[in-house]
């Protein structure tokens, strides 16, 4: 970087370009997500789709899961076909188109579901590649500056989330859903404008296609795409013939597909014929334990826009410092806590104590925080079952505990992924890490069906108990996992999952 070149808090100005792009993309993502479940459940008289709660929450969960699942093909397309820079631009255009589709004020749900599909596809292209481009701004020997740059980048994610969640519930009210969806489209448009205007500051970062497909590989890729499309068409036809081509039938099917893809991909890495060494297999075996711990964590954490916000709307006194806030605003507690506590945790991980606590132990702690947060929520639900609205402080405590868990698991998860991935999968490991969120979100979306035979208090206790039991099991294997990992100190990178 030249001495006279404009900088962004001491970093290359290209970081400002990527910071703003991701900030506006997260504005659109979290802003739409903040009101999605409420829109799906709202009756037709309030311009909603009138779906049952369990179905609405399943759609939200599967939607979130698909967003993270598409990071794998999105990363592959950037590496082999488009290059990261074009992938981000194309992804942003597709995301904006999806929000525009959802903003069309018609009764039919067709444009809503089309919009969700477009957002899923576009996010798969944009999210992993805009994150990867941050790394391209620094030389390989600039680890400390790169980590600092990712810290700023992660701050942009949370600023965007905070702004989106603050605006859309106000615009939506109890019937203006399409106006809120339109604001998400505007946010993504602003991100695209910022990205396009700042392309010179990237100095070629992400422009090159790292491993372009050969002619033979291109033919093979086209064949597999066609096979995939035909398979989806056949599956849709089977669902239609059996009467299962409904919202519930599709969400169950997609959840099963995400689970199968996850199992297949992890098995392929462990046992596929690609030259993985015994040491790499042993280390990746340890990673799989941590991977499924992350699945359980995200299963609970990403219930925020569904069952948790629904509980806030129905059972929480939303008076905050003398003002009555929209229920969707409660999701902002996480963003606020992340912004406040991220520097604290970054400092802790740089201390001797941070390096002494192993990755498995950090994951264990995160599971305990997730489990205990739902014990708190179950207690609040039990109090509210008497017909009273509980204090918003219950939700603040729950979100604080989850945020502490997130800041313990998410940055460490990305770092340990890069350290334990077999050599041939180093470039794909970010997509593998996103699979944990994909599977956790999809399963989490289905869990509200348990309220068909459990009370709300019991439902939250069961999920909290699952996380606590998983934490205890992981705690029992901490020493074993450290041995499999080679007992290395794992210095956390920056959390990019959310």
């Amino acid at each position: 970087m030249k001495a006279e070149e404009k900088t962004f808090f001491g970093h290359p100005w290209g970081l400002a370009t990527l910071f703003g792009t991701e900030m506006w993309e997260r504005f659109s993502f979290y802003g739409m997500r903040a009101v999605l479940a409420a829109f799906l459940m709202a009756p037709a008289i309030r311009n909603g789709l009138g779906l049952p709660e369990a179905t609405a929450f399943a759609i939200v969960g599967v939607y979130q899961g698909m967003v993270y699942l598409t990071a794998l093909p999105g990363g592959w397309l950037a590496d082999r076909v488009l290059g990261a820079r074009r992938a981000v631009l194309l992804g942003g255009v597709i995301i904006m188109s999806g929000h525009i589709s959802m903003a069309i004020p018609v009764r039919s749900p067709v444009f809503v579901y089309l919009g969700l599909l477009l957002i899923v596809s576009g996010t798969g292209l944009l999210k992993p590649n805009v994150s990867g481009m941050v790394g391209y701004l620094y030389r390989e020997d600039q680890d400390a500056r790169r980590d600092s740059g990712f810290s700023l980048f992660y701050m942009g994610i949370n600023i965007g989330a905070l702004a989106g969640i603050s605006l859309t519930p106000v615009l939506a009210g109890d019937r203006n859903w399409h106006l809120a969806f339109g604001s998400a489209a505007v946010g993504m448009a602003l991100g695209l404008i910022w990205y396009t205007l700042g392309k010179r500051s990237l100095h070629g970062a992400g422009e090159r296609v790292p491993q372009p497909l050969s002619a033979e590989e291109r033919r093979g890729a086209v064949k597999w795409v066609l096979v995939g499309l035909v398979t989806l068409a056949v599956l849709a036809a089977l669902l239609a013939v059996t009467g299962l081509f409904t919202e519930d039938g599709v969400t169950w099917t997609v959840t099963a597909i995400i689970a199968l893809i996850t199992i297949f991909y992890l098995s392929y890495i462990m046992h596929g014929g690609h030259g993985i060494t015994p040491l790499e297999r042993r280390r990746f075996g340890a990673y799989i334990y941590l991977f499924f711990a992350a699945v359980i964590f995200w299963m609970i954490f990403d219930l925020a826009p569904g069952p948790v916000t629904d509980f806030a709307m129905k059972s929480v006194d939303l008076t905050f410092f003398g003002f009555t806030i929209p229920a969707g605003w409660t999701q902002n507690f996480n963003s606020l806590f992340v912004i406040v506590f991220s520097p604290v945790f970054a400092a802790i991980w740089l201390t001797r104590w941070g390096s002494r606590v192993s990755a498995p132990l950090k994951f264990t702690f995160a599971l305990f925080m997730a489990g205990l947060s739902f014990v708190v929520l179950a207690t609040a639900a039990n109090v509210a079952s008497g017909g009273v609205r509980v204090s918003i402080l219950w939700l603040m405590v729950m979100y604080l505990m989850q945020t502490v868990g997130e800041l313990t698991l998410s940055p460490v998860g990305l770092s340990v992924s890069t350290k334990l991935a077999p050599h041939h999968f180093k470039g794909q490991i970010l997509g593998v890490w996103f699979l944990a969120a994909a599977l956790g979100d999809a399963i989490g979306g289905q869990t509200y069906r348990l309220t068909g035979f459990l009370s709300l208090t019991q439902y939250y206790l069961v999920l909290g108990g699952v996380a606590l039991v998983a934490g205890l099991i992981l705690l029992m294997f901490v020493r074993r996992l450290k041995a499999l990992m080679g007992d290395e100190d794992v210095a956390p990178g920056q959390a990019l999952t959310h």
Side-chain angles (χ1 to χ4, degrees):
M1 185 175 65
K2 297 179 182 179
E4 66 274 12
E5 185 178 347
K6 183 163 56 171
T7 63
F8 180 66
F9 294 101
H11 292 269
W13 188 252
L15 182 62
T17 297
L18 301 176
F19 175 100
T21 304
E22 178 73 343
M23 182 186 72
W24 283 114
E25 186 275 327
R26 291 291 87 182
F27 170 92
S28 67
F29 176 82
Y30 282 103
M32 187 277 285
R33 195 189 76 158
V35 298
L36 178 59
F39 161 70
L40 295 173
M41 294 185 296
I45 197 171
R46 292 200 288 113
N47 302 321
L49 296 188
L51 298 177
E53 291 176 335
T55 302
F57 297 153
I59 290 173
V60 174
V62 164
Y63 160 69
Q64 292 181 126
M66 289 296 292
V67 162
Y68 294 113
L69 179 67
T70 53
L72 270 175
W76 183 87
L77 281 169
D79 285 345
R80 308 302 305 274
V81 180
L82 296 171
R85 183 181 294 190
R86 284 188 291 274
V88 169
L89 181 61
L90 177 61
V93 171
I94 295 173
I95 291 170
M96 183 182 66
S97 301
H99 288 299
I100 291 172
S101 179
M102 294 185 70
I104 299 174
V106 295
R107 293 287 185 183
S108 171
V110 172
F111 286 106
V112 173
Y113 295 141
L114 173 63
L116 291 176
L117 284 173
L118 289 171
I119 295 167
V120 163
S121 304
T123 306
L125 282 170
L126 186 147
K127 186 162 180 58
N129 294 308
V130 73
S131 303
M133 285 174 67
V134 174
Y136 295 153
L137 299 176
Y138 303 90
R139 298 193 311 268
E140 290 188 5
D141 61 347
Q142 292 182 310
D143 289 344
R145 292 195 71 220
R146 185 184 299 107
D147 285 351
S148 176
F150 271 117
S151 294
L152 283 172
F153 182 75
Y154 191 46
M155 188 68 70
I157 292 174
N158 287 282
I159 292 172
L162 183 68
I165 295 171
S166 297
L167 179 63
T168 53
V170 176
L171 292 177
D174 65 351
R175 64 183 66 242
N176 299 319
W177 315 107
H178 299 288
L179 177 61
F181 299 149
S183 71
V186 171
M188 191 65 254
L190 291 173
L192 284 169
I193 292 170
W194 181 257
Y195 181 71
T196 303
L197 293 177
K199 64 180 182 180
R200 288 186 179 180
S201 68
L202 298 173
H203 298 301
E207 199 169 70
R208 185 178 62 88
V209 179
Q211 296 176 289
L213 293 173
S214 65
E216 183 179 352
E217 288 174 325
R218 194 177 298 112
R219 287 191 294 271
V222 170
K223 180 187 74 173
W224 281 110
V225 168
L226 292 175
V227 168
L229 291 174
V230 170
T231 302
L232 287 176
V234 170
L235 184 58
L238 287 174
L239 290 174
V241 168
T242 56
L244 296 176
F245 199 63
T246 62
E247 285 91 349
D248 286 329
V250 171
T251 58
W252 276 117
T253 302
V254 173
T255 300
I257 290 173
I258 292 174
L260 290 172
I261 289 174
T262 301
I263 293 170
F264 170 80
Y265 207 74
L266 294 177
S267 299
Y268 172 70
I269 294 175
M270 280 288 286
H271 305 293
H274 38 65
I276 183 173
T277 67
L279 175 62
E280 288 177 329
R281 182 174 289 109
R282 185 190 74 188
R283 287 159 61 86
F284 193 74
Y287 175 75
I288 290 176
Y289 280 86
L290 303 181
F291 178 92
F292 282 104
V295 169
I296 294 172
F297 179 85
W298 297 124
M299 178 187 74
I300 290 176
F301 183 89
D302 279 336
L303 290 176
V308 177
T309 298
D310 187 58
F311 175 74
M313 181 171 58
K314 295 176 178 176
S315 303
V316 175
D317 179 1
L318 295 171
T319 303
F320 195 63
F321 290 107
F323 296 94
T324 300
I325 66 173
W329 276 21
T330 58
Q331 296 174 53
N332 262 334
F333 285 133
N334 172 246
S335 297
L336 289 169
F337 287 142
V338 167
I339 291 171
V340 170
F341 290 107
S342 282
V344 176
F345 275 80
I348 289 174
W349 299 145
L350 291 175
T351 66
R352 181 179 298 179
W353 182 87
S355 61
R356 283 181 176 177
V357 178
S358 66
L361 199 56
K362 291 170 183 172
F363 272 60
T364 299
F365 177 75
L367 285 174
F368 284 153
M369 286 293 99
L372 291 174
S373 75
F374 263 35
V375 172
V376 169
L377 193 56
T379 305
N382 187 55
V383 174
S385 65
V388 299
R389 284 188 173 264
V390 300
S391 169
I392 199 171
L393 292 175
W394 287 99
L395 287 184
M396 289 182 67
V397 171
M398 185 215 74
Y399 276 114
L400 177 61
M401 297 176 78
Q402 289 191 359
T403 302
V404 169
E406 178 192 10
L407 292 172
T408 305
L409 178 141
S410 189
V412 178
L414 182 59
S415 180
V416 79
S417 296
T418 59
K419 288 183 177 293
L420 299 182
H423 175 73
H424 292 298
F425 292 89
K426 292 289 186 184
Q428 303 173 45
I429 200 62
L430 182 59
V432 175
W433 174 242
F434 280 146
L435 275 179
L439 183 57
D441 287 358
I443 293 173
Q446 302 290 354
T447 60
Y448 200 76
R449 301 185 193 277
L450 294 172
T451 59
F453 52 88
L454 294 177
S455 70
L456 198 59
T457 300
Q458 292 169 334
Y459 166 69
Y460 291 132
L461 277 178
V462 166
L463 293 186
V466 168
L468 291 173
V469 170
L472 287 172
I473 293 172
L474 191 61
L475 183 62
M476 293 169 56
F477 285 92
V478 164
R479 294 184 65 181
R480 172 63 176 162
L481 292 177
K482 288 176 64 179
L484 290 174
M485 293 165 58
D487 198 21
E488 295 186 18
D489 292 333
V490 180
Q494 296 306 315
L496 297 179
T497 301
H498 285 66

